Amino acid sequence: MSKLNKIGWEFSSHDVDEERIARVVTVQKNRYRVTDGENDFLAHVSGKFRMNASQSLDFPSVGDWVIVDKLPQEQKAVILEILPRKSQFIRQAAGGKTEAQVVGANIDTVFIVNSLNQDLNLRRMERYILSAYDSGASPVIILTKKDECTEEEIRENVAVVEGIAFGIPILTISSLTGDGISELLDNYLPSGKTGALLGSSGVGKSTLVNKLMNAEVQETKSIREADSKGRHTTTHREMFFLPNGALLIDTPGMRELQLWEGEAVLDTAFQDIETLEEECRFADCSHRTEPGCRIKEALDSGELSTERFESYRKLQRELAYEKRKQNKKSMLDEKHRWKQISKEQRHKYKNMR
């Protein structure tokens, strides 16, 4: 096994010298840590890279494969280029700016983590499922803290999650007792594969990382007893190399995942509603007053919950709004670009006179 294979390299060939290829392990603001499978380097992007990057998406993220110039004596490297991503988990960046943020790249499996306690949130889980499908990675749901629940509570919670996660594997685990850990590693996180843990604070991501690593590599904090909500422990995205040869990206807790894209996979995440819509009498049914509306029938009978349908509608509106914002931003960016070109041309003409 080559040193790159040890860190998840799957490409059969590439035009660049493999000695110049590395993988991004940690991102903290404008600082990066990369590895070539043997050595780690503190890295920064080159001046040319920064000049050509027009948006956050253009910058390296954890899991990215990059071409670097190494400075072995200083244990430093300069990032020159990002190799094409096979998958990327994207969210709307926090704050008021209309900008995408890559949470992790080149992920094989997205693990959507939620606890089996009273903080089990189906609406939040639907958002993660939608974004996971949109990323190009395969989603798997992990329900943690199994040791804190009775068998009946576990069965009830799994059944509820199955109602929104069609065809998605659901694992129940306990990081305290180790129950379910072997199944997770054997079936979904084998050697050479890259996974990413996504979920809000307090669901047990850091505890799970420590269990999988057989070491205390992540700080953990207890949840608030009043509402079972967690406190932030992980403050940055980082890739861990598990003892079995798999790679795992841990991310800071996101209580509210702001969507960036997802229209193309909405039917996959909500295939139950899409199927019902196809059975409506009219193709353009608004599901309000039309006769022969299969959605209204399912809502009245309890076949489809009002909460899930409202969540579907809300996500549709949110994605449409986000698309309008992105289009407006693109138009403003293009206007600014031509304004700048015009300014440079006038300056050039003035100097020629």
Side-chain angles (χ1 to χ4, degrees):
M1 178 183 289
S2 74
K3 62 181 183 180
L4 289 181
N5 292 135
K6 289 192 295 185
I7 54 175
W9 181 257
E10 295 179 331
F11 301 97
S12 56
S13 62
H14 206 278
D15 294 336
V16 71
D17 179 6
E18 289 194 3
E19 284 299 317
R20 301 182 68 199
I21 295 175
R23 197 168 193 191
V24 179
V25 176
T26 305
V27 175
Q28 288 181 292
K29 294 187 177 179
N30 297 323
R31 296 179 297 170
Y32 306 90
R33 182 160 61 88
V34 304
T35 181
D36 63 5
E38 286 184 350
N39 299 297
D40 287 6
F41 304 86
L42 291 176
H44 64 272
V45 297
S46 69
K48 182 179 179 182
F49 185 109
R50 187 175 299 279
M51 184 177 66
N52 292 333
S54 60
Q55 56 183 334
S56 295
L57 285 176
D58 298 332
F59 284 88
S61 181
V62 174
D64 266 325
W65 293 100
V66 292
I67 298 174
V68 299
D69 275 342
K70 300 174 186 175
L71 307 171
Q73 299 84 359
E74 304 176 40
Q75 286 298 104
K76 293 181 179 179
V78 179
I79 298 173
L80 307 175
E81 181 184 342
I82 300 175
L83 296 180
R85 295 165 175 154
K86 73 173 185 179
S87 64
Q88 55 182 8
F89 191 96
I90 300 176
R91 70 166 181 171
Q92 163 75 286
K97 292 181 67 177
T98 302
E99 193 170 43
Q101 179 185 54
V102 182
V103 177
N106 299 307
I107 302 165
D108 296 297
T109 305
V110 171
F111 296 104
I112 302 167
V113 186
N114 211 309
S115 57
L116 282 161
N117 62 19
Q118 67 194 65
D119 194 32
L120 184 66
N121 189 317
L122 298 181
R123 306 289 77 87
R124 188 189 306 142
M125 202 175 293
E126 286 168 343
R127 286 174 168 270
Y128 279 109
I129 290 171
L130 182 62
S131 292
Y133 278 130
D134 194 53
S135 75
S138 300
V140 170
I141 292 173
I142 296 179
L143 300 177
T144 62
K145 305 184 182 181
K146 186 177 184 179
D147 53 282
E148 299 179 12
C149 302
T150 65
E151 287 298 323
E152 183 179 356
E153 288 172 332
I154 293 170
R155 283 195 298 272
E156 288 176 354
N157 282 330
V158 168
V160 168
V161 174
E162 285 175 339
I164 65 157
F166 302 97
I168 299 176
I170 301 171
L171 303 180
T172 59
I173 68 166
S174 168
S175 298
L176 183 64
T177 67
D179 191 2
I181 297 297
S182 294
E183 182 184 359
L184 168 61
L185 290 171
D186 294 344
N187 297 336
Y188 303 103
L189 204 49
S191 177
K193 296 297 181 181
T194 301
L197 297 178
L198 296 165
S200 59
S201 301
V203 298
K205 299 193 307 297
S206 296
T207 305
L208 177 55
V209 170
N210 290 340
K211 184 66 177 179
L212 293 171
M213 289 289 290
N214 298 321
E216 295 292 317
V217 296
Q218 290 288 71
E219 180 187 359
T220 60
K221 291 181 181 177
S222 60
I223 61 173
R224 301 194 299 256
E225 292 184 5
D227 55 10
S228 293
K229 296 187 186 299
R231 306 163 186 173
H232 291 281
T233 50
T234 304
T235 58
H236 62 276
R237 299 181 294 280
E238 182 171 0
M239 178 183 288
F240 293 93
F241 300 89
L242 304 187
N244 75 333
L247 303 100
L248 186 63
I249 298 171
D250 192 14
T251 64
M254 294 179 281
R255 184 153 297 282
E256 184 65 25
L257 173 66
Q258 292 184 288
L259 300 175
W260 179 254
E261 292 180 332
E263 283 183 306
V265 295
L266 196 63
D267 59 339
T268 304
F270 289 86
Q271 55 188 269
D272 54 332
I273 295 178
E274 293 285 337
T275 299
L276 290 171
E277 285 185 324
E278 290 173 2
E279 297 173 4
C280 286
R281 182 182 300 176
F282 301 105
D284 59 348
C285 184
S286 66
H287 317 308
R288 290 186 176 90
T289 59
E290 295 90 341
C293 175
R294 184 70 177 86
I295 292 289
K296 284 174 56 184
E297 179 186 316
L299 289 169
D300 292 341
S301 68
E303 180 185 353
L304 173 65
S305 74
T306 302
E307 292 81 7
R308 178 158 171 82
F309 184 61
E310 286 304 314
S311 175
Y312 173 71
R313 290 284 213 185
K314 180 182 178 182
L315 291 172
Q316 278 184 320
R317 292 193 298 269
E318 186 176 330
L319 287 167
Y321 173 68
E322 191 57 50
K323 189 172 184 179
R324 289 195 299 273
K325 279 206 307 179
Q326 291 171 25
N327 289 340
K328 184 177 180 181
K329 181 177 183 296
S330 296
M331 289 173 63
L332 290 172
D333 288 346
E334 186 70 5
K335 183 178 179 181
H336 175 75
R337 188 174 75 88
W338 282 108
K339 188 176 180 181
Q340 189 64 31
I341 291 173
S342 178
K343 182 179 178 181
E344 290 172 357
Q345 289 295 331
R346 288 198 305 271
H347 181 72
K348 182 178 178 182
Y349 176 73
K350 184 178 178 181
N351 289 339
M352 289 173 63
R353 293 179 65 182

